[in-house]
Amino acid sequence: YEFADRFITSLRVSRVIAVSSNIEAALGNLYGPRKVVQIHNGINLEKVRVNQDREKLRQLLGIRPDNYVIGTVGRLTPVKGHDVLLRAASSLMTKMGKIKVLIVGDGPLMPALKQLACELGIEKDVVLAGERHDVYDLVHCMDLFALPSLHEGIPMVLLEALALKRPVIYLFSLIYLGLCMGIYGMLFWMPQLVKTAGTEDPLIIGLITTLPYIAAIIGTILIGKSSDRTGDRRWHLAGCALAGAVGYVL
């Protein structure tokens, strides 16, 4: 299939559009970098409109006024990471309570997610809304929009959630935060490293100062390649969180 796709694309397609730099690199390896062009996803803000009353819709969904709603939208497939969201929400419920999870979308994992919610004991606090045509209204019902996907380009639904002025938490943003905190921890010790080097040469000092950023760039590339190969970002996220913790402690 891939051979046929590559062959037909090379003959009949003038340009292949990628919505992110990672996808552009992957498609460039398949079709050649000259054929691939990067155009970021965008949305028409005029069409992102709410039509239903927020409180009435929340009531119809069985959500109380004092509930804090964490929700997401997407097809129920493994790559979307809905199981990660349910496990995280279960942990939050034990500490905070009054949390509802609203998942909009349908797919092959619907039965498995229902079963997981039961196993976690949170089935009464999880609303699996299925496929809906009032997605903007449902997103507007959320207090926090979560995107637990294990792999994404530039998700349209993330842009739409931002357009609806919903707070957003994105799995990859936590990885970035971990790396940044690690960098700050290393920079804290930078004056000591420069002093230990025993030099006043501005060039050498500049090179030493760039080491944390070089380490972060290399780490980001390795994390991306490893997680794409294994299809699992949980251990990589844990590694970045550890780096962030070390940076914070320092």
Side-chain angles (χ1 to χ4, degrees), residues 20 22-23 79-80 147 149-157 170 172 233:
S20 71
N22 289 338
I23 295 177
V79 73
K80 295 299 183 179
L147 194 70
S149 297
L150 305 179
H151 190 278
E152 287 281 1
I154 299 180
M156 298 291 287
V157 69
Y170 188 18
F172 293 152
R233 299 190 186 275

Side-chain angles (χ1 to χ4, degrees), residues 78-101:
V79 73
K80 295 299 183 179
H82 293 100
D83 60 322
V84 177
L85 176 59
L86 290 181
R87 295 181 192 280
S90 174
S91 178
L92 284 174
M93 288 174 188
T94 60
K95 300 175 182 178
M96 298 174 59
K98 297 184 179 181
I99 290 177
K100 283 277 189 180
V101 178

Side-chain angles (χ1 to χ4, degrees), residues 15-19 24 33-39:
R15 288 289 186 273
V16 177
I17 297 175
V19 298
E24 181 185 20
R34 293 184 179 181
K35 192 178 285 288
V36 180
V37 59
Q38 181 182 159
I39 301 176

Side-chain angles (χ1 to χ4, degrees), residues 179-197 199 202-220:
L179 288 170
C180 286
M181 293 298 291
I183 290 174
Y184 294 150
M186 295 177 69
L187 288 177
F188 180 84
W189 290 102
M190 199 52 61
Q192 183 63 38
L193 292 174
V194 173
K195 182 178 179 180
T196 303
T199 180
L203 178 60
I204 296 177
I205 294 174
L207 290 174
I208 295 175
T209 305
T210 61
L211 288 177
Y213 298 98
I214 294 173
I217 291 171
I218 294 174
T220 302

